[in-house]
Amino acid sequence: MRDHFELRDVDAGGRIGELTVPRAGVTVETPALLPVINPNIITIPPERLAEEFGAEILITNSYIIKTTEDVREQALEEGLHEMLGFDGAIMTDSGSFQLAEYGKIDTTTEEILQFQHDIGSDIGTPVDIPTPPDVSRERAEEELATTKERLEVAEGIDVGDMLVNAPVQGSTYPDLREEAGAHAAETDLDVFPVGAVVPLMNDYRYGDMVDVVAGAKRGLDHDCPVHLFGAGHPMMFALAVAMGCDLFDSAAYALYARDGRYLTVRGTEHLDDLDYFPCSCPVCTEYEPAELRQLSEREQEEELAAHNLHVTFEEIRRIKQAIRQGNLLELVEERARSHPAMLDGYRALVQHSAQLEETDPVSKGSFFYLSNESAARPEVLRHQERLDRFSPEGEVLLTEGSHSKEYDESWKVVPPFGPFPKALRNTYPLTAELPDRLDRDAYERAAMGVKRLAELNPETSFTLAHADWPKSALALVPDGVDHVNLTERSERLP
Ligand code: GUN
Ligand code: ZN
């Protein structure tokens, strides 16, 4: 049982939680964004991150601190909080990312965790091995074994009340991610970053990212706070939160600003290509794009970084509100429409609907059917799964139209859910709002519901009265079920 992370609200796999960070004496509301601070190049001072952006937690790199002599001495002397001018929670990374970039670092888990403790970090990190995507299974297994050993070493080190990360590796092998998650959850470590996803993000492989997170989540427990290591683009936050990620760190806001790049929730733009700002943050209300281009390089970078952070935090707030209202998946659908790679991510997500269904609330405010992918949402799966709770008997009409007294029972049919007893018509998710012009997936999914109901009740005789379903849907209706098309005058209910 982890008592430092409490869930307050849930929607699909997403949650609003409260992470208690004892060493900092603060709690952090999740989903949370941790701005990355490079102690050598501070684009926006931490004090401003707290005051202007509401940052409750940030992340910096203990390996960079340790290997930069004057910064190291200052950090050891003053402590991180004083040195950076930040009273919130501070997470530190270990140098593993440098290990992945340069192939070698000069420290060990024992040494760097002790150092993180000594400079006053609130959440430290062992030296895990960030195994890249697509490596051989053999390499992924070997490196995972090393990461597991490092976590066990970390467990044995006395770091007082500093929390410790237990990174989950396993490359692009979902079963290894699951195994790594289960192992990490068994340690007494505290926060669970899904590691080595940066190469997936850089290549816009959001579908693979979803599969990797889904694997890790299967191994972890529901009460494990999960960090998506190195993921800082606001475009994919809703997707990652819906999969169950709680923490994000963003170096993107500063790195992109250095390159003149402007973040939006629909993707990245270059300042040179913008005639208008699609944003009303303080930066975008003060300047026109042309004016921003005229600033000195240094000022332009700072203003762009500020805008990038504004949209990033704004998206986190929007996601939290969506979880509160139970429409996180609607937000994910909206984001999915901004880039084909995001659509892949969402299509991968609905393939994990059964896994998300485990945490998805039974009742929410509303269900908006917004795309053919909506037909595979967890709520639809759950409805069809639970058809085994009913036992319709005799001659049963399943109808999209009016009911008939000629039958022993008369049920409603609504795509994408399929059949349900009339009495349920006012219960979520059967109150869903649907477009008049439905897609094939909605009808096919409803037909799958008819099929399941018929298979669950082999003794019952069903008649389906549908409003002109496509052939592909009717092909899914079992032979034993009669069907009539309500829109054809020649076809009448008996
Ligand atoms: N930063 C980005 N990815 C990783 C990772 O896999 N491990 C660590 N320690 N830091 C990271
Ligand atoms: Zn802006």
Side-chain angles (χ1 to χ4, degrees):
M1 187 57 207
R2 289 182 177 80
D3 53 10
H4 62 284
F5 188 56
E6 280 185 32
L7 297 180
R8 297 276 185 249
D9 229 316
V10 187
D11 187 9
R15 47 279 184 93
I16 296 180
E18 202 173 280
L19 178 68
T20 302
V21 186
R23 203 173 187 202
V26 300
T27 62
V28 172
E29 188 181 65
T30 65
L33 175 83
L34 293 71
V36 174
I37 297 296
N38 179 338
N40 293 318
I41 322 166
I42 292 193
T43 317
I44 299 195
E47 191 184 342
R48 200 178 147 201
L49 291 174
E51 281 169 16
E52 189 177 330
F53 299 90
E56 295 185 316
I57 177 168
L58 51 80
I59 179 168
T60 187
N61 193 308
S62 67
Y63 185 71
I64 295 178
I65 295 173
K66 187 168 175 295
T67 52
T68 314
E69 196 176 331
D70 51 333
V71 185
R72 177 181 69 230
E73 294 315 312
Q74 194 189 354
L76 283 168
E77 205 160 296
E78 298 176 355
L80 268 182
H81 291 79
E82 166 95 15
M83 179 174 93
L84 297 176
F86 187 76
D87 319 324
I90 301 180
M91 182 187 282
T92 44
D93 203 350
S94 59
S96 290
F97 194 65
Q98 284 65 28
L99 173 69
E101 292 278 287
Y102 310 115
K104 186 173 165 325
I105 52 167
D106 179 20
T107 192
T108 60
T109 290
E110 287 93 332
E111 184 188 51
I112 200 75
L113 262 185
Q114 188 61 49
F115 180 72
Q116 293 172 76
H117 175 266
D118 294 347
I119 60 177
S121 173
D122 302 309
I123 309 175
T125 310
V127 184
D128 56 305
I129 313 285
T131 309
D134 315 317
V135 302
S136 71
R137 174 132 191 138
E138 196 182 0
R139 174 171 166 198
E141 282 176 358
E142 261 173 43
E143 294 186 357
L144 178 55
T146 307
T147 293
K148 287 179 174 175
E149 282 166 25
R150 307 262 170 99
L151 301 194
E152 286 158 20
V153 167
E155 266 189 295
I157 302 174
D158 180 9
V159 289
D161 57 357
M162 178 172 86
L163 299 180
V164 177
N165 277 325
V168 175
Q169 300 291 347
S171 184
T172 25
Y173 297 96
D175 63 315
L176 291 186
R177 291 283 184 172
E178 181 174 348
E179 180 190 322
H183 171 267
E186 271 171 31
T187 67
D188 64 7
L189 304 181
D190 308 288
V191 180
F192 302 86
V194 176
V197 293
V198 172
L200 295 178
M201 306 287 160
N202 289 345
D203 291 344
Y204 283 62
R205 290 170 61 181
Y206 298 118
D208 292 331
M209 183 275 283
V210 162
D211 291 340
V212 157
V213 171
K217 291 286 291 189
R218 282 195 294 278
L220 294 166
D221 301 325
H222 290 312
D223 64 356
C224 292
V226 177
H227 181 160
L228 195 60
F229 240 150
H233 199 303
M235 172 163 88
M236 45 65 66
F237 288 170
L239 178 67
V241 168
M243 288 307 301
C245 297
D246 307 295
L247 302 161
F248 299 91
D249 62 278
S250 174
Y253 78 95
L255 296 177
Y256 283 43
R258 208 158 296 155
D259 270 5
R261 284 185 290 172
Y262 178 98
L263 296 182
T264 84
V265 291
R266 305 180 62 216
T268 311
E269 301 287 349
H270 202 284
L271 180 59
D272 292 343
D273 299 329
L274 289 176
D275 294 319
Y276 308 94
F277 282 142
C279 170
S280 304
C281 81
V283 177
C284 299
T285 34
E286 181 170 350
Y287 300 99
E288 302 271 340
E291 291 166 343
L292 203 51
R293 285 194 285 270
Q294 312 251 295
L295 298 183
S296 72
E297 210 172 298
R298 169 76 218 153
E299 281 173 303
Q300 188 189 105
E301 179 182 329
E302 189 177 328
E303 297 295 348
L304 273 179
H307 156 82
N308 288 346
L309 268 180
H310 277 295
V311 291
T312 304
F313 278 103
E314 175 182 85
E315 182 70 352
I316 296 280
R317 291 192 298 275
R318 187 180 288 119
I319 288 167
K320 289 196 279 206
Q321 183 61 28
I323 295 172
R324 268 288 137 74
Q325 290 185 300
N327 56 22
L328 178 61
L329 289 179
E330 281 82 350
L331 179 60
V332 176
E333 297 215 15
E334 198 178 319
R335 294 289 173 260
R337 261 57 208 177
S338 59
H339 195 291
M342 287 293 304
L343 184 54
D344 258 330
Y346 183 46
R347 288 182 175 164
L349 177 144
V350 292
Q351 295 198 315
H352 297 289
S353 270
Q355 187 175 333
L356 300 182
E357 190 273 328
E358 290 172 22
T359 51
D360 195 41
V362 173
S363 185
K364 307 185 212 172
S366 58
F367 178 120
F368 280 9
Y369 190 96
L370 297 173
S371 69
N372 60 312
E373 289 86 16
S374 301
R377 277 177 52 163
E379 295 93 332
V380 181
L381 259 61
R382 174 186 288 149
H383 169 70
Q384 297 193 350
E385 190 55 39
R386 293 190 175 182
L387 286 171
D388 63 5
R389 299 181 173 195
F390 305 101
S391 28
E393 282 173 15
E395 308 257 318
V396 178
L397 174 67
L398 312 174
T399 180
E400 285 195 282
S402 49
H403 298 282
S404 164
K405 292 239 162 36
E406 303 294 311
Y407 292 82
D408 297 310
E409 286 183 42
S410 176
W411 285 32
K412 278 176 79 69
V413 178
V414 174
F417 302 101
F420 56 87
K422 270 184 292 187
L424 286 186
R425 70 184 181 285
N426 293 323
T427 16
Y428 185 89
L430 303 167
T431 47
E433 305 228 12
L434 313 164
D436 290 338
R437 293 155 187 79
L438 277 173
D439 53 79
R440 191 181 294 263
D441 288 20
Y443 295 112
E444 289 175 8
R445 186 66 61 168
M448 286 159 67
V450 172
K451 176 167 189 266
R452 175 160 164 80
L453 187 67
E455 283 170 357
L456 284 167
N457 300 280
E459 306 296 316
T460 308
S461 130
F462 292 101
T463 301
L464 169 68
H466 64 88
D468 208 19
W469 285 12
K471 283 205 180 67
S472 62
L474 293 173
L476 295 169
V477 175
D479 287 342
V481 175
D482 282 337
H483 45 87
V484 292
N485 187 342
L486 294 169
T487 63
E488 283 175 18
R489 286 183 168 278
S490 57
E491 291 207 50
R492 288 276 155 150
L493 285 176

